[in-house]
Amino acid sequence: MEKFLLVLFAYLLGSVLPGEIIAKLKGVNLREVGSGNVGATNVSRVLGKKFGALVFFLDMLKGFIPTYLAISFYGVESKAVMFAGIASVLGHMFSIFDRFRGGKGVATAFGVILAVSFKLALLSLLVWFVILQWKRYVSLASITASVVAPLLFLISGYPSHIFLMGIVIAVLIVYKHKPNIDRLLRGQELKV
Ligand code: G3P
């Protein structure tokens, strides 16, 4: 029961969309500008880097807090960690407070990785940064880092359910980036 409540908390916390709330307070509807996404990248495009950084931090916390709590209560060997991590990302992507719409889950997934391992979070960030510097596409950097993350869990010897969590989150992130992938293939994706 306790574990179920933690997973529910993860989903509900993930469902709160700081990007959308902050933009609304500034009189902007993120769905109608830039990429139409409610994440930090689009907030940065539309409201500037400071607000982008704030939204990244808040979205990241939504993944970090429940995953960290699951690890503290039950240990990384518990499958509750996997369910809490996935639930937080699902909440962000399919928010119960926003008619099951939401963002692309990258910052929230980063928070999940950070709760599991500071070192692997830094490595994922490094992959993201290198791809961004090389190609100038945030979406391509995010997709690549999200696919690399489960491999990092695997080679670092984490339990198989942590690897599985990484795979599920990567699949969800790639799925949510479908419009970006289409634009990348057409050469129409926005560069930074
Ligand atoms: O984290 C989302 C990023 O990968 C893409 O954002 O706004 O360019 O679709 P956006």
Side-chain angles (χ1 to χ4, degrees):
M1 185 60 187
E2 255 177 34
K3 287 179 184 170
F4 172 76
L5 286 178
L6 181 61
V7 174
L8 183 65
F9 166 70
Y11 174 73
L12 293 176
L13 186 65
S15 286
V16 180
L17 301 173
E20 191 159 59
I21 295 167
I22 291 171
K24 253 185 204 155
L25 291 174
K26 301 279 289 176
V28 173
N29 181 357
L30 283 176
R31 313 263 176 205
E32 290 171 358
V33 282
S35 68
N37 193 39
V38 294
T41 308
N42 206 32
V43 170
S44 186
R45 250 181 226 122
V46 178
L47 297 177
K49 281 188 180 154
K50 271 189 201 157
F51 283 104
L54 175 65
V55 169
F56 177 85
F57 179 71
L58 295 173
D59 279 343
M60 184 276 291
L61 280 184
K62 301 191 306 183
F64 180 81
I65 293 169
T67 313
Y68 184 79
L69 288 177
I71 293 172
S72 308
F73 292 158
Y74 310 113
V76 80
E77 291 75 25
S78 168
K79 291 195 177 58
V81 178
M82 171 180 78
F83 289 119
I86 293 173
S88 65
V89 174
L90 278 176
H92 178 84
M93 292 179 167
F94 306 98
S95 167
I96 198 166
F97 307 126
D98 195 22
R99 289 180 284 140
F100 299 101
R101 298 180 307 172
K104 295 176 182 170
V106 178
T108 306
F110 180 74
V112 173
I113 301 169
L114 188 63
V116 175
S117 162
F118 182 70
K119 199 175 78 186
L120 296 191
L122 275 188
L123 275 174
S124 310
L125 190 61
L126 184 67
V127 169
W128 183 88
F129 190 72
V130 167
I131 301 291
L132 183 67
Q133 291 306 310
W134 180 31
K135 294 290 182 186
R136 316 303 300 178
Y137 295 118
V138 178
S139 56
L140 188 65
S142 302
I143 291 167
T144 310
S146 71
V147 170
V148 166
L151 301 177
L152 294 176
F153 286 141
L154 184 71
I155 56 178
S156 306
Y158 277 91
S160 53
H161 61 269
I162 297 293
F163 170 61
L164 181 62
M165 174 181 80
I167 294 278
V168 171
I169 291 176
V171 168
L172 287 166
I173 288 178
V174 172
Y175 168 72
K176 274 284 184 168
H177 278 79
K178 194 178 171 303
N180 302 81
I181 294 168
D182 290 344
R183 285 196 294 269
L184 282 166
L185 292 174
R186 290 198 306 266
Q188 291 171 351
E189 180 67 323
L190 299 165
K191 286 202 177 201
V192 286

